[in-house]
Amino acid sequence: MILATEPQGQIFQATPPPASWQLPPAMSDTAGPVDSTYNFIFWFSVVFLVVITAAMMYFVVKYKRKKGVKSEPTGHFNRLEIFWTVTPTIFIGFLFHAGYSSYIRNATASEGATEIRVRAKKWSWEFEYPSGDRAPGELTLEVGRPYKMIISSEDVLHSFFIPEFRLKRDAVPGQYSFIAFTPTVAGNAQVFCAEYCGTTHSGMLASVKVLPHKEYEEWAKTLGKCVGTPEECKPEKYGESLFTKNACTTCHGVGGSGQIGGSKSPGPKLAGIYNTMQPMATGPGVMADENYIRESILRPNAKIVAGYTTVQMPAFVIKDEQLDAIIAYLKSLK
Ligand code: CUA
């Protein structure tokens, strides 16, 4: 294991520790207390399962019905009753304390923590950095830097879950929820949605990259711009990557049939619609030109395609340059 010194002067591991047989690698300062509580509960349960099952089997054999022996009702034994009421209560109090103090610690940010806004919507994650730049589907962090995530939802209940950080917090419409942590190891992790939120709940993912200081600074310069070869940064290609990162693919099939995985997709089909009349749910049809596509991304509910009134696409905030790239990509779909 290589150790690296980060700007704050603390020592951080450069490679993630291996996963244990039950838990993924621990990559943040919040993982330690959660893991020790989890391990305590797990082994506590194993020990009691074994002890109680063994005692039960022993008594079943010892006290099985025998000829000539009559059963006697057991009496009341106050001291025993007090013992088996008080002892578990003390243990439960201890477990509650361990869980609750972790919960409070994970919700309280240290002073000067970098704030990142996490926006959940059906079915994607968007991250907004202090610079105001937004990155869909990709959370990039610096190792050793304290963070505060301000989580909100634009539609229904979602839950922000990063197993490697041992963090999970609901994204509740109409309010903010918080989690605070410091990544301790450089490496990759994964955001999941841990609250069932509809058709493509399981596809509501985002990647997490924890970078060492230098690489993080390099990355920060590229935020909101296309990163890649000139070929990859042609409008069509850049648009395709933005389309995927914004998780548009969770609702729109890009093939000619507009299906996803062989069934009707939640959103209308996009291939081949450019410069054709689109039937609207109300009023006359609309020509699918650049302005129509732009409006459909920024204000999706302004014009709704016939047959899709029950689906509520969330609005996206996207820079002009990126919008142009996405439009170029959609025009290229046949
Ligand atoms: Cu969002 Cu499940």
Side-chain angles (χ1 to χ4, degrees):
M1 193 178 293
I2 317 149
L3 293 173
T5 308
E6 286 305 324
Q8 285 81 0
Q10 292 144 285
I11 302 268
F12 292 97
Q13 295 152 7
T15 47
S20 77
W21 63 290
Q22 283 183 319
L23 300 166
M27 289 176 61
S28 87
D29 64 330
T30 45
V34 171
D35 287 9
S36 45
T37 309
Y38 171 79
N39 286 324
F40 179 80
I41 294 174
F42 178 77
W43 288 112
F44 186 79
S45 310
V46 168
V47 167
F48 275 85
L49 175 76
V50 171
V51 169
I52 291 170
T53 311
M56 227 161 57
M57 278 153 58
Y58 172 75
F59 288 129
V60 162
V61 175
K62 183 169 180 190
Y63 295 109
K64 85 181 172 94
R65 192 161 67 170
K66 294 187 188 93
K67 262 192 186 155
V69 180
K70 263 194 137 186
S71 65
E72 290 168 37
T74 46
H76 197 74
F77 191 5
N78 259 339
R79 268 184 298 165
L80 188 61
E81 300 232 351
I82 290 168
F83 174 76
W84 74 42
T85 308
V86 171
T87 316
T89 307
I90 292 170
F91 272 115
I92 286 171
F94 171 76
L95 291 179
F96 176 78
H97 177 261
Y100 192 66
S101 52
S102 264
Y103 173 86
I104 293 296
R105 193 167 36 235
N106 296 354
T108 317
S110 53
E111 219 166 293
T114 303
E115 291 183 356
I116 295 183
R117 287 182 185 273
V118 179
R119 297 198 182 89
K121 50 189 157 191
K122 290 194 285 185
W123 285 278
S124 64
W125 296 102
E126 182 190 69
F127 307 100
E128 187 183 317
Y129 295 88
S131 63
D133 284 301
R134 294 159 183 247
E138 235 175 47
L139 175 62
T140 309
L141 305 167
E142 184 183 354
V143 78
R145 184 197 279 256
Y147 284 97
K148 177 183 182 182
M149 303 272 142
I150 304 173
I151 306 163
S152 58
S153 166
E154 294 189 6
D155 35 48
V156 298
L157 267 180
H158 301 273
S159 188
F160 183 71
F161 178 35
I162 307 179
E164 288 84 353
F165 294 178
R166 311 291 191 268
L167 289 174
K168 187 191 281 175
R169 195 68 94 232
D170 280 1
V172 184
Q175 71 174 63
Y176 296 112
S177 37
F178 312 99
I179 43 172
F181 62 93
T182 304
T184 50
V185 202
N188 296 328
Q190 174 93 54
V191 178
F192 292 90
C193 179
E195 184 72 53
Y196 183 70
C197 55
T199 324
T200 321
H201 156 72
S202 62
M204 194 168 159
L205 305 168
S207 62
V208 183
K209 273 192 197 130
V210 183
L211 302 175
H213 182 63
K214 263 194 193 149
E215 287 170 45
Y216 180 83
E217 298 279 283
E218 286 301 308
W219 166 84
K221 286 182 210 155
T222 66
L223 188 53
K225 300 190 185 86
C226 179
V227 194
T229 61
E231 182 60 31
E232 287 164 346
C233 287
K234 278 188 175 165
E236 271 174 41
K237 281 279 162 201
Y238 183 36
E240 184 177 2
S241 75
L242 290 168
F243 190 81
T244 311
K245 282 183 184 166
N246 279 290
C248 310
T249 44
T250 56
C251 291
H252 296 281
V254 292
S257 65
Q259 293 185 331
I260 296 178
S263 49
K264 187 174 181 268
S265 55
K269 90 169 203 164
L270 301 175
I273 63 159
Y274 180 64
N275 259 346
T276 62
M277 290 299 281
Q278 293 302 303
M280 290 295 119
T282 51
V286 171
M287 176 59 77
D289 57 6
E290 281 84 348
N291 280 321
Y292 167 77
I293 301 175
R294 181 191 166 91
E295 182 183 57
S296 299
I297 296 169
L298 302 178
R299 294 188 297 121
N301 298 315
K303 294 188 180 72
I304 296 175
V305 175
Y308 292 91
T309 42
T310 55
V311 216
Q312 294 261 311
M313 171 172 158
F316 285 79
V317 179
I318 294 180
K319 287 179 174 176
D320 267 4
E321 183 193 325
Q322 299 182 327
L323 264 176
D324 293 346
I326 294 174
I327 293 170
Y329 169 61
L330 295 181
K331 281 163 75 172
S332 77
L333 289 177
K334 294 276 142 56

